[in-house]
mmCIF file of all heavy atoms in Angstrom:
data_model
loop_
_atom_site.group_PDB
_atom_site.id
_atom_site.type_symbol
_atom_site.label_atom_id
_atom_site.label_comp_id
_atom_site.label_asym_id
_atom_site.label_seq_id
_atom_site.Cartn_x
_atom_site.Cartn_y
_atom_site.Cartn_z
ATOM 1 N N MET V 1 183.308 5.546 216.175
ATOM 2 C CA MET V 1 183.602 6.988 216.280
ATOM 3 C C MET V 1 182.639 7.775 215.387
ATOM 4 O O MET V 1 182.239 7.319 214.333
ATOM 5 C CB MET V 1 185.034 7.270 215.906
ATOM 6 C CG MET V 1 186.112 6.608 216.783
ATOM 7 S SD MET V 1 187.793 6.991 216.241
ATOM 8 C CE MET V 1 188.691 6.109 217.562
ATOM 9 N N PRO V 2 182.264 8.989 215.788
ATOM 10 C CA PRO V 2 181.308 9.810 214.959
ATOM 11 C C PRO V 2 181.748 9.946 213.558
ATOM 12 O O PRO V 2 182.951 10.290 213.296
ATOM 13 C CB PRO V 2 181.267 11.118 215.719
ATOM 14 C CG PRO V 2 181.732 10.813 217.106
ATOM 15 C CD PRO V 2 182.663 9.692 216.993
ATOM 16 N N TYR V 3 180.890 9.760 212.638
ATOM 17 C CA TYR V 3 181.215 9.785 211.251
ATOM 18 C C TYR V 3 181.729 11.155 210.823
ATOM 19 O O TYR V 3 182.605 11.269 209.960
ATOM 20 C CB TYR V 3 179.987 9.367 210.383
ATOM 21 C CG TYR V 3 180.200 9.519 208.871
ATOM 22 C CD1 TYR V 3 181.017 8.593 208.219
ATOM 23 C CD2 TYR V 3 179.660 10.507 208.144
ATOM 24 C CE1 TYR V 3 181.275 8.702 206.877
ATOM 25 C CE2 TYR V 3 179.833 10.596 206.797
ATOM 26 C CZ TYR V 3 180.655 9.719 206.162
ATOM 27 O OH TYR V 3 180.886 9.813 204.843
ATOM 28 N N GLU V 4 181.179 12.221 211.340
ATOM 29 C CA GLU V 4 181.588 13.563 210.952
ATOM 30 C C GLU V 4 183.021 13.891 211.262
ATOM 31 O O GLU V 4 183.637 14.792 210.677
ATOM 32 C CB GLU V 4 180.629 14.624 211.643
ATOM 33 C CG GLU V 4 180.771 14.532 213.213
ATOM 34 C CD GLU V 4 179.818 15.456 213.885
ATOM 35 O OE1 GLU V 4 179.871 16.707 213.698
ATOM 36 O OE2 GLU V 4 178.974 14.971 214.609
ATOM 37 N N TYR V 5 183.617 13.141 212.195
ATOM 38 C CA TYR V 5 185.019 13.373 212.544
ATOM 39 C C TYR V 5 185.976 12.344 211.910
ATOM 40 O O TYR V 5 187.148 12.540 211.864
ATOM 41 C CB TYR V 5 185.199 13.344 214.072
ATOM 42 C CG TYR V 5 184.487 14.470 214.751
ATOM 43 C CD1 TYR V 5 183.464 14.203 215.657
ATOM 44 C CD2 TYR V 5 184.736 15.815 214.439
ATOM 45 C CE1 TYR V 5 182.772 15.216 216.310
ATOM 46 C CE2 TYR V 5 184.019 16.862 215.086
ATOM 47 C CZ TYR V 5 183.031 16.513 215.927
ATOM 48 O OH TYR V 5 182.375 17.588 216.565
ATOM 49 N N ARG V 6 185.396 11.223 211.431
ATOM 50 C CA ARG V 6 186.206 10.202 210.800
ATOM 51 C C ARG V 6 186.883 10.645 209.568
ATOM 52 O O ARG V 6 187.863 9.990 209.086
ATOM 53 C CB ARG V 6 185.355 8.956 210.521
ATOM 54 C CG ARG V 6 185.441 7.870 211.622
ATOM 55 C CD ARG V 6 184.698 6.671 211.201
ATOM 56 N NE ARG V 6 183.292 6.689 211.602
ATOM 57 C CZ ARG V 6 182.356 6.038 210.910
ATOM 58 N NH1 ARG V 6 182.605 5.338 209.907
ATOM 59 N NH2 ARG V 6 181.090 6.113 211.360
ATOM 60 N N LYS V 7 186.396 11.741 208.922
ATOM 61 C CA LYS V 7 187.117 12.216 207.744
ATOM 62 C C LYS V 7 188.490 12.682 208.021
ATOM 63 O O LYS V 7 189.300 12.926 207.097
ATOM 64 C CB LYS V 7 186.240 13.349 207.108
ATOM 65 C CG LYS V 7 186.135 14.638 207.904
ATOM 66 C CD LYS V 7 185.241 15.637 207.178
ATOM 67 C CE LYS V 7 185.069 16.899 207.983
ATOM 68 N NZ LYS V 7 184.202 17.854 207.344
ATOM 69 N N TYR V 8 188.848 12.927 209.267
ATOM 70 C CA TYR V 8 190.180 13.316 209.654
ATOM 71 C C TYR V 8 191.090 12.144 209.967
ATOM 72 O O TYR V 8 192.221 12.351 210.263
ATOM 73 C CB TYR V 8 190.116 14.237 210.879
ATOM 74 C CG TYR V 8 189.347 15.502 210.654
ATOM 75 C CD1 TYR V 8 188.034 15.656 211.138
ATOM 76 C CD2 TYR V 8 189.877 16.585 209.977
ATOM 77 C CE1 TYR V 8 187.332 16.819 210.933
ATOM 78 C CE2 TYR V 8 189.214 17.721 209.745
ATOM 79 C CZ TYR V 8 187.877 17.801 210.187
ATOM 80 O OH TYR V 8 187.208 18.998 209.954
ATOM 81 N N LEU V 9 190.565 10.926 209.796
ATOM 82 C CA LEU V 9 191.260 9.721 210.157
ATOM 83 C C LEU V 9 191.564 8.912 208.835
ATOM 84 O O LEU V 9 190.664 8.668 208.030
ATOM 85 C CB LEU V 9 190.484 8.878 211.105
ATOM 86 C CG LEU V 9 191.100 7.512 211.469
ATOM 87 C CD1 LEU V 9 192.379 7.616 212.184
ATOM 88 C CD2 LEU V 9 190.061 6.721 212.265
ATOM 89 N N TYR V 10 192.792 8.516 208.687
ATOM 90 C CA TYR V 10 193.242 7.691 207.522
ATOM 91 C C TYR V 10 193.990 6.477 208.041
ATOM 92 O O TYR V 10 194.840 6.559 208.960
ATOM 93 C CB TYR V 10 194.086 8.489 206.546
ATOM 94 C CG TYR V 10 193.320 9.559 205.814
ATOM 95 C CD1 TYR V 10 193.074 10.779 206.348
ATOM 96 C CD2 TYR V 10 192.901 9.314 204.551
ATOM 97 C CE1 TYR V 10 192.380 11.751 205.720
ATOM 98 C CE2 TYR V 10 192.225 10.225 203.817
ATOM 99 C CZ TYR V 10 191.954 11.508 204.430
ATOM 100 O OH TYR V 10 191.220 12.432 203.735
ATOM 101 N N LEU V 11 193.699 5.311 207.441
ATOM 102 C CA LEU V 11 194.405 4.072 207.803
ATOM 103 C C LEU V 11 195.513 3.826 206.812
ATOM 104 O O LEU V 11 195.354 3.971 205.585
ATOM 105 C CB LEU V 11 193.469 2.908 207.817
ATOM 106 C CG LEU V 11 192.197 2.995 208.719
ATOM 107 C CD1 LEU V 11 191.521 1.662 208.761
ATOM 108 C CD2 LEU V 11 192.557 3.447 210.098
ATOM 109 N N ASP V 12 196.636 3.389 207.356
ATOM 110 C CA ASP V 12 197.830 3.062 206.512
ATOM 111 C C ASP V 12 198.320 1.704 206.946
ATOM 112 O O ASP V 12 198.922 1.590 208.010
ATOM 113 C CB ASP V 12 198.902 4.133 206.622
ATOM 114 C CG ASP V 12 200.118 3.810 205.792
ATOM 115 O OD1 ASP V 12 200.003 3.023 204.851
ATOM 116 O OD2 ASP V 12 201.236 4.371 206.127
ATOM 117 N N PHE V 13 198.030 0.662 206.163
ATOM 118 C CA PHE V 13 198.409 -0.719 206.546
ATOM 119 C C PHE V 13 199.790 -0.935 206.032
ATOM 120 O O PHE V 13 200.121 -0.807 204.825
ATOM 121 C CB PHE V 13 197.439 -1.663 205.942
ATOM 122 C CG PHE V 13 196.040 -1.649 206.437
ATOM 123 C CD1 PHE V 13 195.100 -0.836 205.956
ATOM 124 C CD2 PHE V 13 195.681 -2.361 207.681
ATOM 125 C CE1 PHE V 13 193.799 -0.728 206.472
ATOM 126 C CE2 PHE V 13 194.434 -2.290 208.221
ATOM 127 C CZ PHE V 13 193.520 -1.420 207.610
ATOM 128 N N GLN V 14 200.720 -1.399 206.927
ATOM 129 C CA GLN V 14 202.103 -1.675 206.579
ATOM 130 C C GLN V 14 202.522 -3.025 207.112
ATOM 131 O O GLN V 14 202.410 -3.277 208.345
ATOM 132 C CB GLN V 14 202.998 -0.610 207.085
ATOM 133 C CG GLN V 14 202.794 0.745 206.472
ATOM 134 C CD GLN V 14 203.231 0.820 205.038
ATOM 135 O OE1 GLN V 14 204.044 0.015 204.598
ATOM 136 N NE2 GLN V 14 202.616 1.775 204.283
ATOM 137 N N GLN V 15 202.941 -3.905 206.211
ATOM 138 C CA GLN V 15 203.445 -5.219 206.720
ATOM 139 C C GLN V 15 204.897 -4.972 207.274
ATOM 140 O O GLN V 15 205.730 -4.355 206.712
ATOM 141 C CB GLN V 15 203.526 -6.183 205.542
ATOM 142 C CG GLN V 15 203.870 -7.641 205.947
ATOM 143 C CD GLN V 15 203.758 -8.615 204.840
ATOM 144 O OE1 GLN V 15 203.520 -8.234 203.682
ATOM 145 N NE2 GLN V 15 203.962 -9.860 205.070
ATOM 146 N N ILE V 16 205.074 -5.493 208.535
ATOM 147 C CA ILE V 16 206.345 -5.399 209.146
ATOM 148 C C ILE V 16 207.432 -6.050 208.292
ATOM 149 O O ILE V 16 207.221 -7.141 207.710
ATOM 150 C CB ILE V 16 206.336 -6.082 210.562
ATOM 151 C CG1 ILE V 16 205.415 -5.220 211.459
ATOM 152 C CG2 ILE V 16 207.704 -6.154 211.154
ATOM 153 C CD1 ILE V 16 205.206 -5.786 212.818
ATOM 154 N N TRP V 17 208.545 -5.330 208.060
ATOM 155 C CA TRP V 17 209.530 -5.727 207.081
ATOM 156 C C TRP V 17 210.116 -7.131 207.339
ATOM 157 O O TRP V 17 210.401 -7.909 206.408
ATOM 158 C CB TRP V 17 210.615 -4.726 206.934
ATOM 159 C CG TRP V 17 211.500 -4.509 208.157
ATOM 160 C CD1 TRP V 17 211.346 -3.611 209.185
ATOM 161 C CD2 TRP V 17 212.697 -5.242 208.456
ATOM 162 N NE1 TRP V 17 212.340 -3.834 210.124
ATOM 163 C CE2 TRP V 17 213.237 -4.746 209.662
ATOM 164 C CE3 TRP V 17 213.439 -6.274 207.838
ATOM 165 C CZ2 TRP V 17 214.372 -5.268 210.262
ATOM 166 C CZ3 TRP V 17 214.575 -6.754 208.412
ATOM 167 C CH2 TRP V 17 215.045 -6.224 209.653
ATOM 168 N N GLN V 18 210.241 -7.483 208.621
ATOM 169 C CA GLN V 18 210.749 -8.826 208.942
ATOM 170 C C GLN V 18 209.791 -9.952 208.492
ATOM 171 O O GLN V 18 210.165 -11.042 208.103
ATOM 172 C CB GLN V 18 210.992 -8.939 210.431
ATOM 173 C CG GLN V 18 212.059 -8.115 210.994
ATOM 174 C CD GLN V 18 211.592 -6.843 211.556
ATOM 175 O OE1 GLN V 18 210.555 -6.292 211.181
ATOM 176 N NE2 GLN V 18 212.249 -6.279 212.575
ATOM 177 N N ASP V 19 208.450 -9.623 208.485
ATOM 178 C CA ASP V 19 207.455 -10.525 208.034
ATOM 179 C C ASP V 19 207.276 -10.512 206.475
ATOM 180 O O ASP V 19 207.095 -11.507 205.843
ATOM 181 C CB ASP V 19 206.114 -10.206 208.677
ATOM 182 C CG ASP V 19 205.048 -11.251 208.469
ATOM 183 O OD1 ASP V 19 205.103 -12.283 209.190
ATOM 184 O OD2 ASP V 19 204.149 -11.068 207.665
ATOM 185 N N ALA V 20 207.421 -9.312 205.877
ATOM 186 C CA ALA V 20 207.251 -9.132 204.457
ATOM 187 C C ALA V 20 208.231 -9.985 203.638
ATOM 188 O O ALA V 20 207.938 -10.304 202.508
ATOM 189 C CB ALA V 20 207.334 -7.673 204.095
ATOM 190 N N SER V 21 209.435 -10.207 204.222
ATOM 191 C CA SER V 21 210.414 -10.976 203.442
ATOM 192 C C SER V 21 210.100 -12.370 203.346
ATOM 193 O O SER V 21 210.732 -13.119 202.525
ATOM 194 C CB SER V 21 211.812 -10.744 204.188
ATOM 195 O OG SER V 21 211.746 -11.307 205.446
ATOM 196 N N LYS V 22 209.073 -12.863 204.088
ATOM 197 C CA LYS V 22 208.753 -14.294 204.128
ATOM 198 C C LYS V 22 207.310 -14.546 203.565
ATOM 199 O O LYS V 22 207.111 -15.645 203.067
ATOM 200 C CB LYS V 22 208.868 -14.797 205.516
ATOM 201 C CG LYS V 22 210.247 -14.748 206.185
ATOM 202 C CD LYS V 22 210.268 -15.239 207.574
ATOM 203 C CE LYS V 22 211.642 -15.123 208.216
ATOM 204 N NZ LYS V 22 211.581 -15.607 209.643
ATOM 205 N N TYR V 23 206.413 -13.589 203.714
ATOM 206 C CA TYR V 23 204.969 -13.857 203.417
ATOM 207 C C TYR V 23 204.414 -12.812 202.496
ATOM 208 O O TYR V 23 204.562 -11.658 202.734
ATOM 209 C CB TYR V 23 204.190 -13.905 204.756
ATOM 210 C CG TYR V 23 204.652 -14.949 205.740
ATOM 211 C CD1 TYR V 23 205.517 -14.561 206.781
ATOM 212 C CD2 TYR V 23 204.247 -16.272 205.662
ATOM 213 C CE1 TYR V 23 205.991 -15.488 207.708
ATOM 214 C CE2 TYR V 23 204.695 -17.220 206.604
ATOM 215 C CZ TYR V 23 205.540 -16.803 207.580
ATOM 216 O OH TYR V 23 205.987 -17.748 208.510
ATOM 217 N N ASN V 24 203.693 -13.282 201.449
ATOM 218 C CA ASN V 24 202.953 -12.420 200.528
ATOM 219 C C ASN V 24 201.533 -12.397 200.998
ATOM 220 O O ASN V 24 200.799 -13.369 200.851
ATOM 221 C CB ASN V 24 203.087 -12.930 199.103
ATOM 222 C CG ASN V 24 202.382 -11.975 198.153
ATOM 223 O OD1 ASN V 24 201.663 -11.044 198.518
ATOM 224 N ND2 ASN V 24 202.616 -12.237 196.896
ATOM 225 N N LEU V 25 201.076 -11.256 201.572
ATOM 226 C CA LEU V 25 199.712 -11.175 202.112
ATOM 227 C C LEU V 25 198.837 -10.230 201.378
ATOM 228 O O LEU V 25 197.902 -9.668 201.924
ATOM 229 C CB LEU V 25 199.820 -10.724 203.643
ATOM 230 C CG LEU V 25 200.696 -11.606 204.535
ATOM 231 C CD1 LEU V 25 200.793 -11.007 205.914
ATOM 232 C CD2 LEU V 25 200.164 -12.985 204.604
ATOM 233 N N LYS V 26 199.173 -9.947 200.115
ATOM 234 C CA LYS V 26 198.459 -8.915 199.313
ATOM 235 C C LYS V 26 196.960 -9.251 199.226
ATOM 236 O O LYS V 26 196.141 -8.331 199.428
ATOM 237 C CB LYS V 26 199.030 -8.872 197.893
ATOM 238 C CG LYS V 26 198.375 -7.828 196.998
ATOM 239 C CD LYS V 26 198.994 -7.814 195.583
ATOM 240 C CE LYS V 26 198.291 -6.764 194.745
ATOM 241 N NZ LYS V 26 198.854 -6.704 193.361
ATOM 242 N N ASP V 27 196.576 -10.474 198.913
ATOM 243 C CA ASP V 27 195.176 -10.826 198.786
ATOM 244 C C ASP V 27 194.397 -10.617 200.113
ATOM 245 O O ASP V 27 193.294 -10.105 200.125
ATOM 246 C CB ASP V 27 194.981 -12.249 198.271
ATOM 247 C CG ASP V 27 195.449 -12.446 196.861
ATOM 248 O OD1 ASP V 27 195.521 -11.402 196.150
ATOM 249 O OD2 ASP V 27 195.738 -13.588 196.447
ATOM 250 N N LYS V 28 195.046 -11.024 201.261
ATOM 251 C CA LYS V 28 194.425 -10.935 202.522
ATOM 252 C C LYS V 28 194.242 -9.402 202.958
ATOM 253 O O LYS V 28 193.182 -9.039 203.512
ATOM 254 C CB LYS V 28 195.204 -11.659 203.588
ATOM 255 C CG LYS V 28 195.124 -13.162 203.411
ATOM 256 C CD LYS V 28 195.837 -13.938 204.541
ATOM 257 C CE LYS V 28 195.734 -15.395 204.367
ATOM 258 N NZ LYS V 28 196.417 -16.119 205.477
ATOM 259 N N ILE V 29 195.281 -8.636 202.704
ATOM 260 C CA ILE V 29 195.165 -7.207 203.087
ATOM 261 C C ILE V 29 194.170 -6.421 202.178
ATOM 262 O O ILE V 29 193.490 -5.534 202.651
ATOM 263 C CB ILE V 29 196.538 -6.547 203.086
ATOM 264 C CG1 ILE V 29 196.466 -5.273 203.954
ATOM 265 C CG2 ILE V 29 196.974 -6.200 201.680
ATOM 266 C CD1 ILE V 29 196.211 -5.507 205.405
ATOM 267 N N ASN V 30 193.964 -6.907 200.981
ATOM 268 C CA ASN V 30 192.919 -6.284 200.082
ATOM 269 C C ASN V 30 191.546 -6.553 200.676
ATOM 270 O O ASN V 30 190.661 -5.625 200.510
ATOM 271 C CB ASN V 30 193.048 -6.876 198.663
ATOM 272 C CG ASN V 30 194.203 -6.258 197.879
ATOM 273 O OD1 ASN V 30 194.709 -5.141 198.200
ATOM 274 N ND2 ASN V 30 194.600 -6.973 196.840
ATOM 275 N N ILE V 31 191.336 -7.616 201.300
ATOM 276 C CA ILE V 31 189.999 -7.878 201.943
ATOM 277 C C ILE V 31 189.778 -6.902 203.088
ATOM 278 O O ILE V 31 188.647 -6.426 203.258
ATOM 279 C CB ILE V 31 189.964 -9.336 202.432
ATOM 280 C CG1 ILE V 31 189.997 -10.287 201.289
ATOM 281 C CG2 ILE V 31 188.706 -9.605 203.264
ATOM 282 C CD1 ILE V 31 190.162 -11.814 201.637
ATOM 283 N N VAL V 32 190.878 -6.600 203.827
ATOM 284 C CA VAL V 32 190.772 -5.655 204.907
ATOM 285 C C VAL V 32 190.454 -4.281 204.410
ATOM 286 O O VAL V 32 189.648 -3.531 204.902
ATOM 287 C CB VAL V 32 192.060 -5.661 205.743
ATOM 288 C CG1 VAL V 32 191.921 -4.634 206.890
ATOM 289 C CG2 VAL V 32 192.338 -7.026 206.324
ATOM 290 N N TYR V 33 191.113 -3.898 203.224
ATOM 291 C CA TYR V 33 190.827 -2.621 202.655
ATOM 292 C C TYR V 33 189.367 -2.453 202.276
ATOM 293 O O TYR V 33 188.761 -1.489 202.573
ATOM 294 C CB TYR V 33 191.657 -2.452 201.270
ATOM 295 C CG TYR V 33 193.160 -2.279 201.442
ATOM 296 C CD1 TYR V 33 193.989 -2.432 200.348
ATOM 297 C CD2 TYR V 33 193.736 -1.940 202.628
ATOM 298 C CE1 TYR V 33 195.349 -2.261 200.480
ATOM 299 C CE2 TYR V 33 195.072 -1.804 202.801
ATOM 300 C CZ TYR V 33 195.874 -1.918 201.666
ATOM 301 O OH TYR V 33 197.281 -1.783 201.823
ATOM 302 N N GLU V 34 188.831 -3.541 201.656
ATOM 303 C CA GLU V 34 187.449 -3.476 201.261
ATOM 304 C C GLU V 34 186.477 -3.326 202.402
ATOM 305 O O GLU V 34 185.483 -2.646 202.343
ATOM 306 C CB GLU V 34 187.123 -4.751 200.419
ATOM 307 C CG GLU V 34 187.857 -4.743 199.080
ATOM 308 C CD GLU V 34 187.629 -6.099 198.361
ATOM 309 O OE1 GLU V 34 186.946 -7.007 198.938
ATOM 310 O OE2 GLU V 34 188.220 -6.261 197.324
ATOM 311 N N TYR V 35 186.851 -4.035 203.526
ATOM 312 C CA TYR V 35 186.005 -3.946 204.727
ATOM 313 C C TYR V 35 186.053 -2.519 205.347
ATOM 314 O O TYR V 35 185.085 -1.986 205.807
ATOM 315 C CB TYR V 35 186.487 -4.993 205.759
ATOM 316 C CG TYR V 35 185.583 -5.123 206.922
ATOM 317 C CD1 TYR V 35 184.281 -5.626 206.798
ATOM 318 C CD2 TYR V 35 185.974 -4.729 208.185
ATOM 319 C CE1 TYR V 35 183.465 -5.749 207.890
ATOM 320 C CE2 TYR V 35 185.180 -4.877 209.300
ATOM 321 C CZ TYR V 35 183.869 -5.401 209.130
ATOM 322 O OH TYR V 35 183.113 -5.474 210.211
ATOM 323 N N ALA V 36 187.243 -1.922 205.278
ATOM 324 C CA ALA V 36 187.351 -0.526 205.813
ATOM 325 C C ALA V 36 186.546 0.464 204.977
ATOM 326 O O ALA V 36 185.854 1.246 205.499
ATOM 327 C CB ALA V 36 188.834 -0.122 205.829
ATOM 328 N N ILE V 37 186.651 0.366 203.720
ATOM 329 C CA ILE V 37 185.873 1.194 202.792
ATOM 330 C C ILE V 37 184.384 1.045 202.983
ATOM 331 O O ILE V 37 183.566 2.019 202.989
ATOM 332 C CB ILE V 37 186.315 1.007 201.320
ATOM 333 C CG1 ILE V 37 187.797 1.395 201.155
ATOM 334 C CG2 ILE V 37 185.379 1.723 200.351
ATOM 335 C CD1 ILE V 37 188.367 0.985 199.813
ATOM 336 N N LYS V 38 183.966 -0.225 203.133
ATOM 337 C CA LYS V 38 182.560 -0.538 203.328
ATOM 338 C C LYS V 38 182.028 0.142 204.585
ATOM 339 O O LYS V 38 180.871 0.613 204.687
ATOM 340 C CB LYS V 38 182.338 -2.049 203.474
ATOM 341 C CG LYS V 38 180.928 -2.505 203.681
ATOM 342 C CD LYS V 38 180.883 -4.048 203.781
ATOM 343 C CE LYS V 38 179.401 -4.446 204.072
ATOM 344 N NZ LYS V 38 179.337 -5.979 204.215
ATOM 345 N N ASN V 39 182.965 0.305 205.608
ATOM 346 C CA ASN V 39 182.587 0.899 206.881
ATOM 347 C C ASN V 39 182.922 2.422 206.894
ATOM 348 O O ASN V 39 182.939 3.023 207.941
ATOM 349 C CB ASN V 39 183.253 0.195 208.050
ATOM 350 C CG ASN V 39 182.598 -1.105 208.417
ATOM 351 O OD1 ASN V 39 181.707 -1.143 209.191
ATOM 352 N ND2 ASN V 39 183.108 -2.249 207.830
ATOM 353 N N LYS V 40 183.196 2.957 205.732
ATOM 354 C CA LYS V 40 183.432 4.383 205.560
ATOM 355 C C LYS V 40 184.610 4.877 206.363
ATOM 356 O O LYS V 40 184.569 5.948 207.022
ATOM 357 C CB LYS V 40 182.119 5.198 205.889
ATOM 358 C CG LYS V 40 180.948 4.836 204.974
ATOM 359 C CD LYS V 40 179.743 5.663 205.311
ATOM 360 C CE LYS V 40 178.593 5.282 204.349
ATOM 361 N NZ LYS V 40 177.382 6.038 204.644
ATOM 362 N N ILE V 41 185.673 4.064 206.336
ATOM 363 C CA ILE V 41 186.927 4.436 206.922
ATOM 364 C C ILE V 41 187.885 4.761 205.837
ATOM 365 O O ILE V 41 188.093 3.977 204.933
ATOM 366 C CB ILE V 41 187.505 3.374 207.837
ATOM 367 C CG1 ILE V 41 186.477 2.926 208.887
ATOM 368 C CG2 ILE V 41 188.783 3.787 208.471
ATOM 369 C CD1 ILE V 41 186.223 3.903 209.944
#
């Protein structure tokens, strides 16, 4: 998507609560965060 309009877009990652009660995915989601920031999202 055009970079000039991406400033209006924000990502909000949420682990589904049924899954969160069983799995700790903090380290894996941090990798995704870093990849998004690297790509200017």
Side-chain angles (χ1 to χ4, degrees):
M1 297 179 178
Y3 176 71
E4 62 186 296
Y5 298 119
R6 264 185 273 152
K7 64 182 179 182
Y8 299 102
L9 175 65
Y10 289 82
L11 304 188
D12 180 21
F13 294 91
Q14 296 290 336
Q15 188 174 4
I16 292 176
W17 65 267
Q18 295 95 332
D19 191 78
S21 62
K22 299 178 182 178
Y23 301 95
N24 184 351
L25 304 176
K26 182 180 179 181
D27 291 341
K28 290 184 177 181
I29 200 63
N30 283 339
I31 295 172
V32 180
Y33 289 166
E34 293 172 2
Y35 188 66
I37 294 169
K38 181 181 178 181
N39 283 272
K40 298 181 179 180
I41 306 290

